[in-house]
Amino acid sequence: MDLSHIEHIGIAVKSIEEALPFFENVLGLKCYAIEEVKDQRVKTAFLRIGESKLELLEPTSEDSPIAKFIEKRGEGIHHLALCTPDAAPALREVEEKGGRLIDKEPRKGAEQLNIGFVHPKSTHGILLELCDHKDVK
């Protein structure tokens, strides 16, 4: 599999507005984008750190996956996203090699990335996102 870098680390938070001051004022990072991904019922905030990013994830409804995650586990690291030239064949390769997928085909995520998730039962407890920048303008 051709993986180039850690694209981002997703961090579940109850409130982006409450979480941002730590990342900006204490760590010195700058938020460069906030967007809502309606079909995932989440609002995201991105902060660049070197070649990678941190993605703060705030639920926009009580039944969103992020709300359920926070209810069950509390705020914290939600997923690790790895960048690949093309998420579709990367997901197929994971499945062909015995990995369990959440997404059989990539879908649009924040920042217009093509994303697909690998189930934590295949990755020793890590929700793994494979993503590509193919259609990002």
Side-chain angles (χ1 to χ4, degrees):
M1 181 172 304
D2 187 12
L3 300 172
S4 59
H5 63 280
I6 295 173
E7 211 288 330
H8 65 269
I9 297 171
I11 302 169
V13 299
K14 292 177 184 174
S15 166
I16 287 173
E17 185 178 325
E18 291 177 15
L20 266 180
F22 174 79
F23 293 94
E24 291 188 319
N25 301 336
V26 176
L27 298 182
L29 303 175
K30 296 296 173 218
C31 176
Y32 67 87
I34 294 178
E35 73 176 278
E36 186 174 340
V37 183
K38 290 186 190 251
D39 68 325
Q40 295 177 34
R41 300 178 310 279
V42 68
K43 182 164 80 169
T44 65
F46 283 94
L47 304 106
R48 190 167 300 287
I49 179 166
E51 189 178 339
S52 298
K53 297 177 270 188
L54 298 180
E55 177 189 32
L56 304 182
L57 301 151
E58 175 187 318
T60 57
S61 76
E62 292 179 11
D63 67 339
S64 76
I66 296 300
K68 291 175 184 175
F69 177 89
I70 291 172
E71 182 180 313
K72 192 179 213 182
R73 298 193 176 112
E75 294 178 297
I77 294 178
H78 177 260
H79 67 271
L80 173 65
L82 303 177
C83 195
T84 179
D86 191 337
L91 289 166
R92 282 193 297 275
E93 184 177 341
V94 168
E95 188 171 44
E96 288 166 4
K97 292 180 176 178
R100 184 173 166 192
L101 300 179
I102 294 172
D103 299 301
K104 298 243 182 212
E105 293 294 325
R107 54 191 162 100
K108 283 294 179 200
E111 296 194 306
Q112 293 301 302
L113 294 176
N114 298 307
I115 65 167
F117 285 94
V118 180
H119 200 284
K121 289 186 177 177
S122 295
T123 62
H124 304 276
I126 300 166
L127 178 58
L128 186 64
E129 177 181 342
L130 298 176
C131 58
D132 70 51
H133 295 253
K134 282 186 359 183
D135 302 325
V136 178
K137 295 181 183 186

